[in-house]
Amino acid sequence: MSPLDRALPGGPDEPEPDEPEAAGHPTTDGPDASPTVDLDIDLTSHEMLRRAHFLEALGPDWDPVAALRDEQAANRLLYSGLDADQRRVYDELVAAGVLPGDGGGHAAA
């Protein structure tokens, strides 16, 4: 077995609890033993670049308030005209927190 093909914890190659390696960390004198290395990656600059590209793609005309208003109107329209059984299911889903309660079940005026 190569160092890249080490067994996963709890796998079939894991030593039994009564074997010396099972009590703690693996010993460093075995053929598959390799030291661990902490790896920290800072993605802050990449995230800022991603957000800048996203906002650039939206363009200067993007109006977040209008977008939210349109989304709420679409949500109200989606849940408008429900029959009694559908309304009961809708009310149960709102009570369970699955759907937002601002749909109202009526189309926007």
Side-chain angles (χ1 to χ4, degrees):
M1 176 183 293
S2 75
L4 298 177
D5 296 331
R6 287 184 283 186
L8 296 174
D13 295 332
E14 174 120 352
E16 293 298 319
D18 58 342
E19 294 182 26
E21 286 186 15
H25 301 288
T27 59
T28 56
D29 56 348
D32 292 335
S34 61
T36 60
V37 177
D38 289 337
L39 180 64
D40 292 328
I41 300 174
D42 185 7
L43 297 175
T44 305
S45 62
H46 178 73
E47 177 63 14
M48 291 299 112
L49 182 62
R50 186 195 67 79
R51 288 181 186 187
H53 286 301
F54 177 79
L55 291 174
E56 182 182 352
L58 287 175
D61 322 353
W62 182 64
D63 182 4
V65 175
L68 180 59
R69 191 177 329 117
D70 292 345
E71 185 177 334
Q72 290 171 339
N75 192 35
R76 283 191 299 273
L77 187 58
L78 178 65
Y79 295 111
S80 67
L82 301 177
D83 64 26
D85 190 43
Q86 292 169 331
R87 182 67 191 179
R88 179 188 56 76
V89 171
Y90 173 81
D91 290 339
E92 288 176 7
L93 292 173
V94 169
V98 175
L99 292 175
D102 60 353
H106 304 290

